[in-house]
Amino acid sequence: MKKKYGFSWGIPLFLIAMIGIFRMIPSWAEAYACLFYPFISTLLSAFSSLFPFSVGDCFIVGTCLWILIYPFYAWRKRKGAKKTVGTIIRVLMWVYIWFYFAWGLNYFRENFFVRTQIPYVDYSEDDFRSFLSAYTDSLNASFTPVEKIDHAVVAEEVKNGYQEIAGRFGLVPPAAYLHPKPMLIPSLMSGVGVLGYIGPFFTEYNLNPDLLPVQYPFTYAHEMAHVLGISSEAEANLYGFLVCSRSEVPEIRFSAYFALLPYVLGNVYQLLPEEEFEQWKETISPEIKKAYNDKVAYWQGLYSPTIGDIQDTLYNWFLKSNNIPSGRKNYSEVIALLMALNTK
């Protein structure tokens, strides 16, 4: 009994300690991402792709229900409070271990600049203005009305795009069987403003069915980047933009530039004088302004401020605790990555 007790606690504690080591040594996490994650993700995604629903979402809900129900079961079986609490803690430890060894160790890999050997570019107001001018011209030129989107075409274009850039940026090449899953509770996700997310337990990517057609291609590409081994939201935005902006399909190309607009707006507002910010906004075409305002109004109509604020706080804490010190602001850091890439 003592030996069994030692294994039941010793093994998960050892694995949790290993996660701590990966957290402190980026080269180990990078080795995991390059050598082990491709194999692990292939196994998990091949299994989960057999089901039309989100296996990961069902796993999370099932685990939560088990935690709520098990104490009553244990009480009826007279297991005792100490044993009951110990069982729940061990289950949560294994969930924690599964999360990190299935996908979460990607949070601790080498950063973008080390991995790609692209030099970091210090902020320059002139360089930023040059980027802004080029981006705005491309944004206006890419505009096309997007009333509907062909999901099959998006899937093909995005997978082809990632096949081209995977080796350069240390991504896992996308498997042919990968396909997005519907969220288990989409109304809740719309209420907190979540467009998509990765299911780390079974290497799935989930898209919100409430996505506007113009948002679908970029969100698809963003979430696929996570499946391919990227944890940084800024990097996922970068690769989503690179893949979609290079597409020959006008709707997909416009989706890329349109998706960057809120991050560009935030950067311009923070980095340039207010007068210049207002002048720049006037250079955006009226059609794009209308599309942007319509998008904002659409999601505001679905958003629930109370649960949205809670989700924002929790996700901000989660990112900061997983090697992304800027938290939710990491999304907007895509602009710095894009400028560094363009100046190489």
Side-chain angles (χ1 to χ4, degrees):
M1 289 295 293
K2 287 184 178 180
K3 186 176 181 181
K4 181 179 179 181
Y5 182 83
F7 273 110
S8 67
W9 285 98
I11 293 176
L13 286 173
F14 170 76
L15 292 174
I16 289 173
M18 287 298 298
I19 292 170
I21 294 175
F22 278 106
R23 184 185 292 268
M24 294 184 292
I25 308 177
S27 60
W28 284 30
E30 189 64 29
Y32 156 85
C34 296
L35 301 177
F36 298 102
Y37 178 69
F39 175 72
I40 294 170
S41 65
T42 296
L43 288 180
L44 293 175
S45 61
F47 170 76
S48 62
S49 68
L50 299 174
F51 303 91
F53 54 86
S54 175
V55 181
D57 281 1
C58 292
F59 172 76
I60 293 170
V61 171
T63 301
C64 292
L65 291 175
W66 180 87
I67 292 172
L68 293 174
I69 295 171
Y70 180 75
F72 296 98
Y73 167 80
W75 174 72
R76 292 191 62 183
K77 294 293 183 178
R78 302 182 185 275
K79 289 182 178 290
K82 184 177 179 180
K83 191 172 183 180
T84 300
V85 172
T87 299
I88 292 174
I89 290 174
R90 285 197 300 274
V91 168
L92 291 176
M93 289 168 70
W94 280 109
V95 171
Y96 178 88
I97 291 164
W98 189 354
F99 168 79
Y100 280 102
F101 279 96
W103 181 81
L105 290 180
N106 287 307
Y107 277 115
F108 313 131
R109 65 190 301 191
E110 301 283 8
N111 67 47
F112 172 82
F113 297 102
V114 173
R115 196 171 67 253
T116 62
Q117 297 185 334
I118 294 173
Y120 178 81
V121 178
D122 290 326
Y123 173 72
S124 160
E125 202 165 89
D126 289 339
D127 289 343
F128 181 69
R129 287 192 176 98
S130 296
F131 161 81
L132 185 60
S133 176
Y135 164 78
T136 309
D137 289 344
S138 297
L139 171 68
N140 289 334
S142 70
F143 174 75
T144 186
V146 186
E147 301 297 332
K148 60 180 181 178
I149 200 76
D150 189 324
H151 291 187
V153 171
V154 171
E156 187 68 19
E157 288 286 305
V158 170
K159 286 175 184 176
N160 289 341
Y162 274 117
Q163 289 286 0
E164 294 178 5
I165 70 170
R168 180 183 180 189
F169 296 106
L171 310 177
V172 178
Y177 55 76
L178 285 174
H179 60 273
K181 300 290 189 72
M183 297 173 171
L184 189 62
I185 313 175
S187 59
L188 175 61
M189 295 298 102
S190 294
V192 298
V194 173
L195 308 185
Y197 53 84
I198 182 176
F201 295 103
F202 291 93
T203 322
E204 302 169 295
Y205 56 114
N206 305 272
L207 300 182
N208 194 325
D210 290 333
L211 281 169
L212 294 169
V214 70
Q215 296 177 293
Y216 184 86
F218 179 84
T219 306
Y220 187 111
H222 173 102
E223 299 306 332
M224 181 174 278
H226 288 313
V227 170
L228 303 184
I230 295 301
S231 59
S232 163
E233 299 294 354
E235 276 197 66
N237 276 344
L238 173 67
Y239 304 136
F241 174 78
L242 292 179
V243 166
C244 291
S245 64
R246 297 176 181 183
S247 172
E248 296 297 325
V249 180
E251 292 82 0
I252 296 177
R253 192 163 58 251
F254 176 58
S255 179
Y257 287 99
F258 188 68
L260 281 195
L261 184 54
Y263 308 122
V264 176
L265 276 165
N267 276 262
V268 177
Y269 182 77
Q270 292 179 357
L271 299 174
L272 297 182
E274 183 177 356
E275 181 180 354
E276 191 170 350
F277 171 68
E278 295 298 331
Q279 291 174 348
W280 168 72
K281 286 198 301 183
E282 294 303 313
T283 66
I284 301 173
S285 75
E287 295 85 0
I288 293 175
K289 286 181 181 178
K290 182 180 185 306
Y292 183 80
N293 290 333
D294 288 347
K295 182 202 74 169
V296 171
Y298 171 78
W299 285 103
Q300 283 181 340
L302 300 174
Y303 189 72
S304 173
T306 302
I307 59 174
D309 289 346
I310 294 173
Q311 191 271 344
D312 286 349
T313 300
L314 290 176
Y315 191 51
N316 192 55
W317 170 82
F318 173 80
L319 290 175
K320 288 184 176 182
S321 66
N322 279 289
N323 204 35
I324 300 182
S326 58
R328 286 180 55 83
K329 293 180 181 178
N330 181 241
Y331 283 93
S332 63
E333 291 170 3
V334 61
I335 305 303
L337 298 184
L338 194 56
M339 290 181 64
L341 189 62
N342 288 340
T343 56
K344 185 186 177 192

